[in-house]
Amino acid sequence: MASQNSNISPKTMVIITLISLGFNNYFLPIDAEETGKALIESTCKKTQYPAECISALESDPGSFTANLTGLTRIAVEKSASKLVETLHIVDMLVQNATSDYPTWGSLVLCRYSYNTSVPQIQEGLQAFDQLKFEKSYKSVEAVKKAVIDCDHEGLKSLTQVNTALLRLIEDTIMILHLLF
């Protein structure tokens, strides 16, 4: 057997090995991305808003290499980011409110609800990292309650952002539930 390999020079073996490694590394990310994309799609099909779920998760490059636990963490992170983004919009509306006191009062109530939700979801992320998924789940549910409370104020200026946040939160809750 050893004599059969002696026809190939060590230099040729190194070249063949390097080509083989380069070939595998060139195609591996595509395979991993396709596998990740399949997991994203199968996970999001179990949510209420699959297209929005897929869009949110695919916007994070880490989703393509994540397992279900990793995807769930990303969903909670996306929810936290969307909450902060919504809070900034509400805060801007409060600061620029006209003399319409009832509208201003409703905006202040929404700002208060979202302000108290930010540390809750941050604690939920910490709980998630400690594998306390139920605590993380409850923190995301608290954000959902804040969105619903704000939505009940009937502020047309917040309908679109509240809807986007609520949908992301509801999908995140459903994905979190997959870990139980």
Side-chain angles (χ1 to χ4, degrees), residues 62-127:
S63 294
F64 294 102
T65 56
N67 59 14
L68 179 60
T69 304
L71 281 182
T72 307
R73 175 107 177 34
I74 291 167
V76 176
E77 288 171 356
K78 291 286 183 182
S79 296
S81 295
K82 190 70 165 174
L83 171 62
V84 170
E85 177 185 315
T86 303
L87 175 59
H88 287 301
I89 291 168
V90 172
D91 192 47
M92 189 174 61
L93 290 171
V94 167
Q95 291 175 13
N96 297 323
T98 61
S99 59
D100 179 14
Y101 186 77
T103 300
W104 178 83
S106 293
L107 286 167
V108 169
L109 184 106
C110 289
R111 181 175 64 180
Y112 175 79
S113 293
Y114 291 152
N115 250 336
T116 57
S117 295
V118 171
Q120 288 177 321
I121 202 163
Q122 293 300 329
E123 288 172 13
L125 280 166
Q126 291 172 355

Side-chain angles (χ1 to χ4, degrees), residues 43 57 67-77 128 133 172 175-179:
T43 301
L57 290 177
N67 59 14
L68 179 60
T69 304
L71 281 182
T72 307
R73 175 107 177 34
I74 291 167
V76 176
E77 288 171 356
F128 191 94
F133 301 132
T172 300
I175 295 170
L176 265 162
H177 190 69
L178 297 174
L179 297 179

Side-chain angles (χ1 to χ4, degrees), residues 22-174:
F23 184 80
N24 285 341
N25 287 337
Y26 180 77
F27 287 104
L28 181 62
I30 293 171
D31 293 340
E33 186 173 313
E34 287 175 7
T35 302
K37 192 171 180 78
L39 180 60
I40 292 167
E41 289 175 5
S42 69
T43 301
C44 288
K45 281 182 183 175
K46 297 171 185 161
T47 67
Q48 196 168 354
Y49 307 101
E52 293 172 34
C53 173
I54 290 168
S55 176
L57 290 177
E58 285 184 348
S59 70
D60 187 312
S63 294
F64 294 102
T65 56
N67 59 14
L68 179 60
T69 304
L71 281 182
T72 307
R73 175 107 177 34
I74 291 167
V76 176
E77 288 171 356
K78 291 286 183 182
S79 296
S81 295
K82 190 70 165 174
L83 171 62
V84 170
E85 177 185 315
T86 303
L87 175 59
H88 287 301
I89 291 168
V90 172
D91 192 47
M92 189 174 61
L93 290 171
V94 167
Q95 291 175 13
N96 297 323
T98 61
S99 59
D100 179 14
Y101 186 77
T103 300
W104 178 83
S106 293
L107 286 167
V108 169
L109 184 106
C110 289
R111 181 175 64 180
Y112 175 79
S113 293
Y114 291 152
N115 250 336
T116 57
S117 295
V118 171
Q120 288 177 321
I121 202 163
Q122 293 300 329
E123 288 172 13
L125 280 166
Q126 291 172 355
F128 191 94
D129 292 341
Q130 298 167 358
L131 305 178
K132 297 177 182 174
F133 301 132
E134 191 170 325
K135 186 174 181 179
S136 184
Y137 183 92
K138 287 179 182 178
S139 76
V140 177
E141 278 188 322
V143 175
K144 179 180 176 180
K145 182 186 178 322
V147 177
I148 290 169
D149 289 347
C150 178
D151 203 45
H152 283 141
E153 292 299 309
L155 296 165
K156 292 187 187 319
S157 58
L158 292 180
T159 301
Q160 190 174 6
V161 292
N162 276 344
T163 299
L165 178 57
L166 184 61
R167 287 180 174 199
L168 181 58
I169 292 292
E170 287 178 341
D171 285 350
T172 300
I173 287 171
M174 293 176 110

